[in-house]
Amino acid sequence: MKVATLGSECSGYRMIKTVTIKNFRSFASAKISNMRRINVVVGNNASGKTALLEAIFLAAGASPEMAFKLRTWRNQEVFNISNEQNSYDALWTDFFHMFDQRSKIDISLIDSHGDQRKLEIKFQDVGADLFLPLTGSSQFSQPQPVVPIEFKWKVHGKEYVSVPEIDNHGLKLRATQLAPIAALFYSTATQNLNQQYAQFFSALSAKKLEKDVIELIRKEFKFIENIEVLIKDGIPTLHATVQLLPEKVPLYLLSDGVNKLINILLGIAMFPKGIIIIDEIENGLYFERMPSVWRSIHAFARKYDVQIIASTHSAECLRALRDALSSTPDDALLIRTMIENGVTSTEQFLGSSFFKALEMGEVR
């Protein structure tokens, strides 16, 4: 999970309506339009589902740190960073389509008011006196020329630029003055940040807003009587009061499904008018619970003006969404990713269309 700082360049709720991606990972060029409250991404393994989620999150951010964190989400360790070009390039090359560093990555988000937020990523043109600043002499004897990468966000006619730099202390990832879109990313690699969610719960509790979360959890899991933050081994941790048990139980020990659902609901409540991005939303949730889980997520997303963008491999998850949104089918959009010869393409279907297709056969 990675959190983009709360705040937005625009006031009021603005849903993402159109996403355009060029030269990012397996995307040469793709456009997704008419996005809805609930957007579900499906497709074969390695077809670009996670890359699509990453592209949206990168554009919503305001610092190269977001790109650097993507490596962690994909379990890529970064080590032996030096002032050599090859070491520097290794941090970024796999973001470029076909690993072509001569190309420029373009990711554009257009919201429901028609405003655009654009991110460009490119290696700068080589200049005769172009160096990244290196401080001290304990690690490097002399500065070495390195062609740096540039992250440039364009919003409301203004440009916000950040260039990652290497010195003898490591990699510097400076944030820009641009306010990020409120966004939260649930990665399959980093979903067990129990202390973070305890802090979310505590912040909501201080504002007397935690009752909505508890009510939905109790409705879904009737054996839970209450939820609160307790200190376990010196760390704030969410605990549940469970029927028939003599002691309160940490949620992460009680159930992956309970833990995941409350984490998603807490994220929605903490990021009103924002974006919640979830990779493989079905993980940890029993398929028979999925319709009511989707109803809870949908209700919370509407209550807090939040847009959900989630991937899934599960046909049961899609059928559950159909059941949950039977009265409001066009609150959902299905986005299918397909890959051929290393290039991802997409197609999309409004809920009213893909729900009917589900009745006739599997849609994934």
Side-chain angles (χ1 to χ4, degrees):
M1 179 198 69
K2 176 62 189 170
V3 180
T5 305
L6 286 171
S8 174
E9 191 78 2
C10 309
S11 61
Y13 177 52
R14 292 173 176 245
M15 183 184 293
I16 294 175
K17 299 299 291 185
T18 303
V19 176
T20 304
I21 305 171
K22 294 181 180 179
N23 296 320
F24 180 73
R25 295 213 191 270
S26 58
F27 288 91
S29 180
K31 182 178 181 179
I32 300 162
S33 57
N34 202 22
M35 295 183 70
R36 317 301 281 189
R37 174 80 63 189
I38 305 290
N39 304 273
V40 182
V41 187
V42 300
N44 207 339
N45 294 117
S47 64
K49 296 187 301 298
T50 301
L52 172 58
L53 305 183
E54 291 173 335
I56 294 170
F57 190 73
L58 275 177
S63 167
E65 179 191 7
M66 302 303 159
F68 194 70
K69 289 293 184 180
L70 296 182
R71 300 183 63 86
T72 303
W73 298 341
R74 288 182 179 260
N75 294 315
Q76 294 174 299
E77 297 296 331
V78 179
F79 54 92
N80 294 332
I81 299 174
S82 73
N83 66 326
E84 297 178 357
Q85 186 73 52
N86 288 342
S87 175
Y88 185 81
D89 290 354
L91 300 175
W92 320 107
T93 302
D94 56 355
F95 293 127
F96 291 84
H97 183 61
M98 297 297 185
F99 308 98
D100 184 4
Q101 295 177 199
R102 297 167 300 176
S103 64
K104 179 177 68 173
I105 295 171
D106 280 309
I107 305 169
S108 171
L109 310 178
I110 299 177
D111 66 27
S112 51
H113 290 196
D115 287 329
Q116 183 184 52
R117 183 186 187 97
K118 186 175 183 180
L119 170 62
E120 297 178 354
I121 307 173
K122 67 174 183 177
F123 279 86
Q124 292 182 344
D125 296 332
V126 178
D129 58 353
L130 180 60
F131 295 89
L132 287 183
L134 303 172
T135 59
S137 58
S138 60
Q139 186 173 349
F140 307 120
S141 58
Q142 291 183 352
Q144 299 294 318
V146 176
V147 179
I149 196 169
E150 174 185 274
F151 288 71
K152 180 190 295 182
W153 284 265
K154 296 181 179 180
V155 179
H156 293 160
K158 297 180 181 179
E159 296 184 351
Y160 303 83
V161 179
S162 181
V163 178
E165 302 170 351
I166 295 177
D167 64 15
N168 64 322
H169 298 292
L171 186 68
K172 292 182 179 180
L173 303 169
R174 290 190 174 91
T176 66
Q177 296 300 309
L178 174 65
I181 297 173
L184 183 66
F185 194 112
Y186 291 82
S187 165
T188 56
T190 55
Q191 290 186 356
N192 295 319
L193 300 180
N194 300 302
Q195 186 174 355
Q196 176 71 74
Y197 294 114
Q199 291 171 353
F200 283 0
F201 187 91
S202 180
L204 290 172
S205 182
K207 298 179 180 180
K208 298 183 178 180
L209 297 175
E210 83 284 8
K211 293 181 180 179
D212 288 343
V213 175
I214 296 174
E215 182 180 341
L216 279 178
I217 291 296
R218 291 180 62 187
K219 182 179 179 181
E220 181 63 36
F221 303 97
K222 299 186 184 304
F223 56 86
I224 293 178
E225 296 178 344
N226 194 27
I227 297 169
E228 58 189 304
V229 176
L230 298 177
I231 304 299
K232 179 177 175 59
D233 300 326
I235 299 174
T237 305
L238 284 170
H239 283 66
T241 301
V242 179
Q243 296 174 2
L244 304 179
L245 290 185
E247 296 185 8
K248 297 172 183 178
V249 184
L251 279 184
Y252 65 83
L253 293 178
L254 179 63
S255 162
D256 286 343
V258 175
N259 204 34
K260 179 161 189 174
L261 179 57
I262 192 171
N263 291 347
I264 293 173
L265 297 179
L266 287 171
I268 292 172
M270 281 294 294
F271 288 79
K273 304 185 186 302
I275 309 165
I276 302 296
I277 302 172
I278 310 166
D279 203 7
E280 298 184 15
I281 190 171
E282 75 278 10
N283 284 359
L285 293 165
Y286 187 55
F287 75 95
E288 288 186 350
R289 287 199 182 273
M290 284 304 301
S292 57
V293 166
W294 270 123
R295 278 191 288 271
S296 296
I297 291 172
H298 182 236
F300 239 50
R302 294 186 68 169
K303 179 181 178 67
Y304 288 95
D305 276 336
V306 165
Q307 188 173 23
I308 306 294
I309 306 171
S311 69
T312 182
H313 289 285
S314 168
E316 290 85 359
C317 182
L318 294 178
R319 286 192 283 268
L321 180 62
R322 174 198 62 195
D323 296 342
L325 271 62
S326 59
S327 61
T328 56
D330 286 343
D331 255 12
L333 180 74
L334 179 79
I335 304 163
R336 181 188 295 166
T337 59
M338 301 160 289
I339 193 161
E340 185 175 358
N341 298 323
V343 179
T344 292
S345 60
T346 63
E347 56 184 5
Q348 59 189 66
F349 308 89
L350 274 177
S352 54
S353 298
F354 88 77
F355 289 171
K356 289 179 181 178
L358 278 172
E359 297 174 1
M360 296 183 290
E362 186 172 307
V363 177
R364 276 192 288 184

